[in-house]
Amino acid sequence: MQAVSALTAKVPPLLELRDVHKSFAAVHALRGVSLALHPGEVHGLAGENGAGKSTVVRVIGGEHRPDSGVVLVDDAPVGFSGPRDAQRHGIAVIHQEPTQFPDLTVAENVFMGRQPVRSFRRIDRASMNAKAAELFESLGVPIDPWRVTRGLSIADQQIIEIGKALSAEARIIVMDEPTAALSTVETERLFRVAKRLAENGAALLFISHRLEEMYEICHRVTVLRDGALVTSSPMADIDRDTLVRSMVGRSVEQLYPEQTGEAGAEALVVAGLTRAGVFADVSFSVRRGEIVGLAGLVGSGRSEVARAIFGVDPLDAGQVLVDGERLPLGDPRAAIRAGVAMVPEDRREQGLILDLSIERNATLPRLGAVSRWGLVSRAKERSLAAKWADRLGVKRRRLTDPVATLSGGNQQKVVLGKWLATEPGVLIVDEPTRGIDIGAKVEVHALLAELAASGIAVLMISSELPEVLGMADRVLVMHEGRLTEELSKEDATEESVLQAATGGAS
Amino acid sequence: MLDRFLRWETVLLVLCVGVFAVGSASDGFGEQSNIAFLLLDYSEVALLAFALLPIVLTGEIDLSVASTLGFCSALTGTLWDAGIGFETIVPLVILAGVALGSVNAVLVVRFGLPSLAVTIGTLGLYRGLAYVLLGDRAVTGFPENYRPLATDSIAGTFVPYATVLVLFVGAAVAVLVHKTTTGRSLYAIGLGAQTTRFSGIRVDRIKFSLFLLSGGLAAVASLIYTLRYNSARADNANGMELVAVAAVLLGGVSIFGGRGTVLGVATALLAMAGLRNVLFLDDVSNEIQNVITGLLLILSVLVPVVFKPRRTKDAPLEPSVADAERRTGADPGGELRRDHQGV
């Protein structure tokens, strides 16, 4: 054990899992997972999607009972009857996107169900607010206890959850991907709070997909793969390569493929795109065979620009040219006809219809091609869907199964297939690898490179800087609704892009 | 997905057979004139239900159908009273129905208002306009050469002309819903309107035309109704929208959109028509008839909910927990964000 845990090694763990197994129907979610959380320690839990991280969280949080194995709190075996019981044992789970009562005040949310009372069980608002203020003070994050939680950022809501946990005297705090929706500044603030909690003797379990963060905050890391424990090691003793390899089960040789394509003629040209209050005067072009990255912070207007080009969002001014032809604005159908395809940001709400079968999803933008006189040909529908599902290697049982039964990576392949079936000349991808595991991610990257090499113009939006830098031939950076920088592959570095994205002088 | 529908339609078919089996015990049930009456009795409801089905599939509703029928009936009476020829009245009334449908369409589609609220409003509005036209008068004496179309059966058979029309409309709606690209879009809209729009389908345009269709079909139903009773009144088909909605729901169509078949609705209509006829023959009072129909409707939405757990055979495809994780809404924000430069 390392520095911090040298002390804690003798201290018994606050919480321990011993050889925990858990199955859901045929799926063996956890196979003998053991884990010990010590006071003062931040314990990282790593693994791909589906590795069982969330199941561990739910076992600890009292939502699931292990099929076998034990959970110990303070060295005593416990069998939680439910989340409330787990809370009584001092366990708190902070979710990625906390759920609060939006119309209640911050203090009311913190003390929900445990309000300090005066005589006749009247709620003692004054003391409640004072306590809440004190709590946030101790966390070093001033949040007004009087305000309603509606409109607070996710980061603030998480802090409220932490405050709630502390007010309930939680000593074991599980953070399930808390940083997924946070900006850099917010993440740093959360880490300060987390470190303070650990210093005060709490045991933290921290889950994140971002290895960088693990190295920054965790003392120890446990890696799960396919529900089994792969390794558990002090953070300082494991290098990135080893960590990734143990997560993936093989080494990831090359995450980003070589670009071979030569940029051809301009396939997509946009000029002076403006939507009042969202973005202004955005002009750029994408050539055939080129992948252009569109970077910027969340809220910089990247996705909105993409949606406006595709015609699903309105535009106040500007024009879009595809292969030199002017596109009518606000008409996705016309955009598709002109050869534009868009893999949208939100796979579940915009990319797919989860309850609809794979084949019906796959043919949705191309109903015209699988029909005659408006009548759908089942055979054509099936063969078009099968062609793309096979080409992209969608793992499925039947094409008639709802896409909801597929994993995230396979769902994303269906979205890609659905759009590739339209034989686009311009492909806009918005967060093409969000929420899919690393294996599928590599495949998506390879596919995008292959498409570009075949002469398609690709405009790629991504929040993941390495993805933008690894894939793009050129990087456009947006800041507060304006295109602020254009960087060649050579000039695009994490620093230069971030600087432009945050409005720093370039 | 399909198996589940088929299962529900099997249930309906059994119900239908049951109703008719019980019916055959009643005096006169099997007689041709009674079967014809049974079919005629539900022809307007059937037309309204077929108009509603595509709308409900998209997750919307049109509760103004019976009021549209009422208005169109009142209009027919007014025009006939004014001495206009029936040949002229037919297209005018259908046009009026479409116009009323377009009011719903504009409010729901253009202004994005909830169809439930809009059509409850127009339910009152159109019925009110019907009274403005006719008051509580009844216009009768419709031409003898047209009335048989709504009352008589095809010579030598028990099949009424009106039923042929209903079957034709049903078949057309079935083709529209189950065979055409528009039909594919209807289900897609009901299950995910945003994705459908992102797929280049003109969601607004489709919804708009469905409300026009609904108005048009209600007008056609009004012509049958008016001729059948030889009476144009403002309160014609008062409350019939509920019977039509009941048939649609009993037919297994999800009120939230995206699920349901024409076969299901057709079977439900037949079962309801049969049931009503049996109860009528057995002299069961109108009130008790309503009670039974109401119970049946509740049962129809209750049964699938109660038996839902069986659906777990749709286990996740891959041996992963990703599915379980996803169901909780813990969307992983992306793997290994900005970590992989050194890999």
Side-chain angles (χ1 to χ4, degrees), chain A residues 144-279:
Chain A
D144 179 5
W146 285 96
R147 67 158 292 167
V148 294
T149 54
R150 187 186 295 283
L152 283 175
S153 68
I154 286 176
D156 283 342
Q157 293 184 37
Q158 284 173 345
I159 300 289
I160 293 172
E161 286 298 306
I162 292 174
K164 204 184 210 170
L166 291 183
S167 76
E169 290 172 355
R171 300 163 303 143
I172 301 150
I173 298 171
V174 180
M175 298 185 169
D176 191 358
E177 291 200 53
T179 58
L182 302 195
S183 69
T184 319
V185 181
E186 291 168 332
T187 303
E188 279 167 14
R189 190 181 69 174
L190 181 73
F191 284 0
R192 276 202 306 279
V193 170
K195 281 174 186 158
R196 197 174 292 194
L197 294 175
E199 280 161 18
N200 292 337
L204 271 71
L205 183 67
F206 177 79
I207 295 171
S208 174
H209 279 296
R210 304 179 184 174
L211 299 191
E212 213 167 65
E213 295 178 352
M214 292 241 166
Y215 279 103
E216 188 179 337
I217 190 170
C218 297
H219 303 113
R220 197 175 177 82
V221 64
T222 294
V223 182
L224 299 181
R225 189 172 69 233
D226 298 330
L229 186 103
V230 181
T231 180
S232 186
S233 140
M235 205 73 224
D237 295 354
I238 189 165
D239 62 37
R240 274 176 192 230
D241 271 352
T242 321
L243 187 53
V244 169
R245 215 173 306 128
S246 53
M247 285 167 65
V248 181
R250 59 190 158 86
S251 65
V252 178
E253 295 300 330
Q254 195 179 21
L255 201 51
Y256 303 106
E258 285 293 323
Q259 301 312 342
T260 50
E262 289 256 317
E266 287 179 331
L268 173 73
V269 179
V270 303
L273 297 188
T274 300
R275 184 176 164 201
V278 185
F279 52 84

Side-chain angles (χ1 to χ4, degrees), chain A residues 104-111 125-126 128-134 136 141-149 160:
Chain A
L104 296 184
T105 68
V106 169
E108 282 169 328
N109 268 292
V110 168
F111 290 100
R125 290 186 152 271
M128 188 166 80
N129 284 308
K131 277 189 191 172
E134 203 176 295
F136 293 126
V141 184
I143 297 177
D144 179 5
W146 285 96
R147 67 158 292 167
V148 294
T149 54
I160 293 172

Side-chain angles (χ1 to χ4, degrees), chain B residues 220-232:
Chain B
V220 172
S222 89
L223 291 169
I224 295 179
Y225 197 103
T226 310
L227 291 176
R228 195 153 71 89
Y229 291 100
N230 192 18
S231 162

Side-chain angles (χ1 to χ4, degrees), chain B residues 199-211:
Chain B
S199 301
I201 288 163
R202 290 161 169 168
V203 174
D204 285 356
R205 188 174 292 202
I206 289 176
K207 281 189 180 174
F208 202 100
S209 8
L210 292 182
F211 280 103

Side-chain angles (χ1 to χ4, degrees), chain B:
Chain B
M1 200 156 82
L2 194 71
D3 336 35
R4 220 164 67 236
F5 289 141
L6 284 179
R7 247 179 288 155
W8 180 243
E9 278 134 19
T10 318
V11 172
L12 283 173
L13 206 64
V14 170
L15 176 73
C16 213
V17 170
V19 165
F20 279 78
V22 171
S24 56
S26 305
D27 250 3
F29 182 83
E31 280 172 26
Q32 293 210 343
S33 63
N34 185 58
I35 297 291
F37 170 74
L38 178 162
L39 292 172
L40 270 181
D41 193 33
Y42 250 57
S43 43
E44 296 90 3
V45 173
L47 287 175
L48 298 189
F50 288 141
L52 270 168
L53 169 66
I55 294 182
V56 177
L57 281 180
T58 67
E60 305 286 350
I61 194 141
D62 182 357
L63 291 177
S64 72
V65 279
S67 295
T68 304
L69 194 165
F71 176 85
C72 289
S73 184
L75 183 66
T76 309
T78 313
L79 294 176
W80 181 245
D81 229 15
I84 295 171
F86 207 73
E87 299 75 14
T88 324
I89 290 177
V90 172
L92 281 180
V93 163
I94 291 176
L95 217 60
V98 173
L100 295 188
S102 75
V103 173
N104 288 330
V106 168
L107 292 172
V108 173
V109 178
R110 286 273 177 278
F111 292 97
L113 304 176
S115 55
L116 183 67
V118 166
T119 58
I120 284 178
T122 50
L123 178 151
L125 178 69
Y126 297 166
R127 186 65 72 184
L129 290 177
Y131 279 103
V132 169
L133 279 183
L134 265 194
D136 48 13
R137 262 172 348 114
V139 175
T140 58
F142 288 101
E144 288 300 331
N145 51 340
Y146 279 97
R147 288 214 299 124
L149 287 177
T151 54
D152 289 7
S153 295
I154 298 170
T157 70
F158 65 89
V159 184
Y161 291 107
T163 302
V164 176
L165 177 70
V166 168
L167 287 177
F168 175 77
V169 169
V173 170
V175 169
L176 172 78
V177 164
H178 298 304
K179 298 288 175 200
T180 66
T181 54
T182 309
R184 288 284 191 275
S185 309
L186 295 181
Y187 287 90
I189 294 169
L191 293 172
Q194 210 184 50
T195 301
T196 313
R197 208 165 67 84
F198 271 71
S199 301
I201 288 163
R202 290 161 169 168
V203 174
D204 285 356
R205 188 174 292 202
I206 289 176
K207 281 189 180 174
F208 202 100
S209 8
L210 292 182
F211 280 103
L212 300 189
L213 178 73
S214 160
L217 280 176
V220 172
S222 89
L223 291 169
I224 295 179
Y225 197 103
T226 310
L227 291 176
R228 195 153 71 89
Y229 291 100
N230 192 18
S231 162
R233 291 175 57 95
D235 68 348
N236 274 356
N238 204 356
M240 194 184 273
E241 67 278 343
L242 294 182
V243 187
V245 171
V248 169
L249 296 187
L250 182 63
V253 181
S254 164
I255 193 75
F256 305 110
R259 293 174 208 285
T261 61
V262 173
L263 187 63
V265 174
T267 322
L269 283 165
L270 200 56
M272 285 169 71
L275 186 67
R276 189 174 139 91
N277 189 261
V278 170
L279 296 175
F280 172 78
L281 289 178
D282 291 350
D283 279 333
V284 177
S285 73
N286 234 327
E287 290 73 24
I288 299 297
Q289 284 187 29
N290 286 341
V291 168
I292 291 174
T293 318
L295 285 176
L296 201 64
L297 184 62
I298 292 173
L299 218 63
S300 77
V301 284
L302 191 69
V303 168
V305 172
V306 172
F307 290 101
K308 209 166 191 172
R310 273 206 264 133
R311 218 164 79 77
T312 46
K313 66 173 187 134
D314 289 350
L317 186 69
E318 284 176 44
S320 79
V321 198
D323 199 49
E325 289 187 359
R326 201 192 56 237
R327 250 182 261 128
T328 65
D331 188 3
E335 297 275 331
L336 305 173
R337 241 164 244 241
R338 58 192 148 91
D339 300 307
H340 263 287
Q341 284 199 295
V343 178

